[in-house]
Amino acid sequence: MARVSETILKIEGLTKVYSGAKGTSVKALDGVDLEIRKGEIFALLGPNGAGKTTLIGAVCGLVRPTAGSITAFGYDLSKNWRSARARIGLVPQELSTDMFETVERAVTYSRGLFGHPPDKERIAEILRSLSLYEKRDSQIRELSGGMKRRVLIAKALAHEPELLFLDEPTAGVDVELRKGMWEQISALRERGTTIILTTHYIEEAELMADRVGVIRAGRILMVDDKSAIMQRMGTTEALITLSEPLTELPSAIAAYPVTLSEDGRELCYRGGAVSAGGAGSGSEEVASLTKALIAAGIDYRGIDVHDSSLEDIFVDLVSGKEGA
């Protein structure tokens, strides 16, 4: 899908401070700047307590910001919240619905909350797209965990939002159901819905998102296309086990980004760039390094090559590495 550059959500300097006991305070968001493009899937990654849910709550009117501004579809949310909110859907992390209500009535009620007239055909279409139509007369309490989460998505889609927030949409869902949810999310994007999702599963971001943002302690550390992140921060690592220990590296080997272990038996390479789709220049350099070892008369017994994944980069960022 071609990239659409139109910005539909702009967040500037967003800050949220919660008051605690005995005059203490907690800064959940700290000057967040973020722009979301129309038609994209944007993944917001961060550890527990990073500020992901607070950020979503601020955009959806559930959290009152301490400072900063939010503009959605050209509306300033501090002045025209209802106009903007009518075009935004939210699938919360927690199951928050009447468990004794039937599936169809719950979804229909959500549509009415935003002033839309009843539309039985539209509700049926949404339920079919989420494989819920056969359960339309069932009480929500009777459904499996995966189906309950689908009901939350159906409720969020009932008023036909243009921007959809998914807060940990596959948390607690088994692998098979997660794959089904990914397919449903991709189908929503194909229909023109812009999607922002938070997730603990890095593979979701790697598989589905166009762009990725990383948040830690209420601050956005990085926002970029997946491929750009991999090219800028991805590396290739290779651990070469030598047949005989070395006391020092020959100049031809020292020219590579390598380090020698203290016992002289292992050579560690770290360098190169990695593309989002696979190996990059680092793998080529490792091949060159092995040839240089042979040319220098240095034999080795094994080599283990590893290209960075998006998860490796994420872990480095949230742990304070990579200059974050």
Side-chain angles (χ1 to χ4, degrees):
M1 176 177 288
R3 177 185 297 174
V4 181
S5 59
E6 178 186 348
T7 297
I8 63 171
L9 176 64
K10 187 173 184 178
I11 298 171
E12 295 181 288
L14 190 65
T15 299
K16 175 60 182 178
V17 179
Y18 290 103
S19 298
K22 299 180 180 180
T24 61
S25 63
V26 176
K27 186 174 284 188
L29 296 175
D30 188 3
V32 170
D33 294 325
L34 183 63
E35 292 189 15
I36 301 300
R37 304 164 181 161
K38 181 179 180 180
E40 73 173 334
I41 295 181
F42 181 87
L44 185 62
L45 307 178
N48 287 331
K52 302 186 299 295
T53 299
T54 301
L55 179 59
I56 289 176
V59 177
C60 294
L62 304 175
V63 173
R64 184 185 294 275
T66 304
S69 65
I70 305 172
T71 304
F73 306 104
Y75 295 107
D76 180 343
L77 264 64
S78 67
K79 300 175 182 177
N80 296 291
W81 176 80
R82 290 184 181 277
S83 298
R85 183 64 178 87
R87 299 167 72 175
I88 298 173
L90 168 63
V91 180
Q93 187 175 151
E94 301 295 331
L95 290 169
S96 54
T97 189
D98 184 351
M99 291 294 168
F100 292 90
E101 187 69 276
T102 66
V103 170
E104 185 175 43
R105 290 193 60 173
V107 177
T108 300
Y109 179 74
S110 291
R111 180 177 176 84
L113 279 177
F114 290 90
H116 288 261
D119 189 336
K120 198 170 183 68
E121 289 186 6
R122 176 57 183 154
I123 297 301
E125 180 184 345
I126 292 172
L127 295 180
R128 286 193 180 96
S129 72
L130 294 166
S131 301
L132 287 170
Y133 188 72
E134 300 302 320
K135 298 289 186 179
R136 64 190 181 280
D137 296 322
S138 300
Q139 291 184 342
I140 295 173
R141 68 186 179 90
E142 298 171 346
L143 304 180
S144 66
M147 283 194 169
K148 287 175 183 174
R149 201 160 288 280
R150 292 183 195 182
V151 171
L152 294 183
I153 295 178
K155 285 165 58 69
L157 294 176
H159 68 287
E160 302 173 45
E162 298 168 54
L163 173 62
L164 179 64
F165 283 94
L166 301 171
D167 193 6
E168 300 284 352
T170 60
V173 174
D174 64 42
V175 174
E176 197 61 35
L177 280 175
R178 276 166 56 193
K179 290 180 180 178
M181 297 281 279
W182 295 345
E183 292 174 0
Q184 291 156 14
I185 292 168
S186 295
L188 288 173
R189 199 269 290 274
E190 290 300 318
R191 297 188 190 114
T193 306
T194 302
I195 296 170
I196 302 176
L197 65 91
T198 70
T199 180
H200 279 97
Y201 302 113
I202 312 302
E203 61 186 300
E204 284 188 340
E206 202 157 12
L207 176 68
M208 298 172 53
D210 302 301
R211 290 193 303 147
V212 172
V214 178
I215 185 171
R216 183 186 71 197
R219 292 187 176 186
I220 297 289
L221 303 182
M222 176 181 60
V223 173
D224 213 334
D225 293 346
K226 284 185 301 185
S227 58
I229 292 173
M230 297 299 291
Q231 289 171 2
R232 188 172 73 251
M233 303 185 70
T235 60
T236 296
E237 294 184 4
L239 187 64
I240 302 172
T241 303
L242 304 175
S243 297
E244 298 292 336
L246 293 176
T247 55
E248 61 180 355
L249 293 176
S251 58
I253 305 303
Y256 291 87
V258 296
T259 56
L260 187 64
S261 64
E262 289 186 5
D263 62 7
R265 294 184 177 276
E266 292 182 332
L267 199 59
C268 182
Y269 166 93
R270 181 181 172 91
V274 179
S275 66
S281 62
S283 295
E284 297 172 2
E285 194 169 34
V286 170
S288 175
L289 171 59
T290 58
K291 292 176 182 177
L293 287 170
I294 294 171
I298 301 172
D299 195 12
Y300 58 91
R301 293 187 289 108
I303 180 169
D304 181 22
V305 182
H306 169 72
D307 288 326
S308 295
S309 65
L310 187 61
E311 182 168 6
D312 295 328
I313 296 171
F314 169 72
V315 170
D316 282 348
L317 281 168
V318 298
S319 64
K321 299 179 182 178
E322 300 291 347

